[in-house]
Amino acid sequence: MSAVLTLFAAAYPGGNYLLALFVIPAWLLSSLIWISLLMTRGSSYRRSPWIVATPLIGVLTLTLANSMLPMRAAFLISESALNSYAQSLPEQERSSFGQERVGLFTIDTAQRWKGITQLGVANAGGMLIKCGFAHVPNGRMEELGASSFDHVTGDWYATCSDYD
């Protein structure tokens, strides 16, 4: 359960801070259960080869989450929907607000100007960080004003803007 929640949270650019509120207690509970099974006298679990499963699942999950593979996979599943949505936006300097489901993501802010499209993903990032995706042809990243960006595929980037 903890691993699944962690991978879902990692599927968002910058992570999903609402899911993270559940992920941390879930991992703590999993750890406490694992330790209590180890400490129980006469437990067959202590001699079982499954004793290493919990730590291995934890390490594998954290490795996958840090590799950005869940976010890239979610993006690839949603890429055609994101392309269609980005092309449907009118050219304007101001951001438009309103939640709309696009592929696997909920877009809450959208802006298109000079051929660049910036999409904010709901619940992505953190309290003072807004993350999303940007379609930037010709690699004009300096026009985004984002604090960080990672290339996803083609002209698409995962972006985060720090507001602190």
Side-chain angles (χ1 to χ4, degrees):
M1 177 70 162
S2 306
V4 172
L5 284 174
T6 302
L7 293 176
F8 275 127
Y12 287 76
N16 184 318
Y17 65 90
L18 290 178
L19 275 178
L21 294 175
F22 295 104
V23 166
I24 294 167
W27 277 109
L28 289 174
L29 181 63
S30 297
S31 300
L32 288 174
I33 291 171
W34 183 73
I35 290 169
S36 68
L37 286 171
L38 284 178
M39 296 180 74
T40 304
R41 279 193 166 171
S43 172
S44 62
Y45 184 73
R46 291 170 66 171
R47 292 180 296 279
S48 169
W50 289 103
I51 196 166
V52 297
T54 301
L56 283 177
I57 290 170
V59 168
L60 180 63
T61 301
L62 292 176
T63 302
L64 278 173
N66 285 330
S67 73
M68 294 178 54
L69 187 62
M71 189 271 302
R72 290 179 190 278
F75 181 86
L76 289 175
I77 291 168
S78 305
E79 185 175 11
S80 63
L82 288 167
N83 280 327
S84 299
Y85 181 74
Q87 291 171 357
S88 73
L89 293 171
E91 288 270 339
Q92 60 186 10
E93 291 293 323
R94 291 177 289 128
S95 295
S96 59
F97 298 91
Q99 292 193 349
E100 186 168 341
R101 190 77 175 175
V102 181
L104 298 177
F105 301 101
T106 302
I107 305 299
D108 62 357
T109 59
Q111 182 180 16
R112 185 174 182 198
W113 76 104
K114 299 178 190 173
I116 296 174
T117 304
Q118 195 162 11
L119 306 173
V121 177
N123 301 324
M127 298 303 265
L128 297 175
I129 299 173
K130 181 65 180 161
C131 295
F133 296 107
H135 184 264
V136 185
N138 305 321
R140 302 179 325 214
M141 298 308 298
E142 67 279 350
E143 294 183 41
L144 277 180
S147 303
S148 66
F149 51 87
D150 294 307
H151 184 255
V152 180
T153 183
D155 290 334
W156 283 98
Y157 296 84
T159 64
C160 287
S161 297
D162 195 355
Y163 296 111
D164 64 341

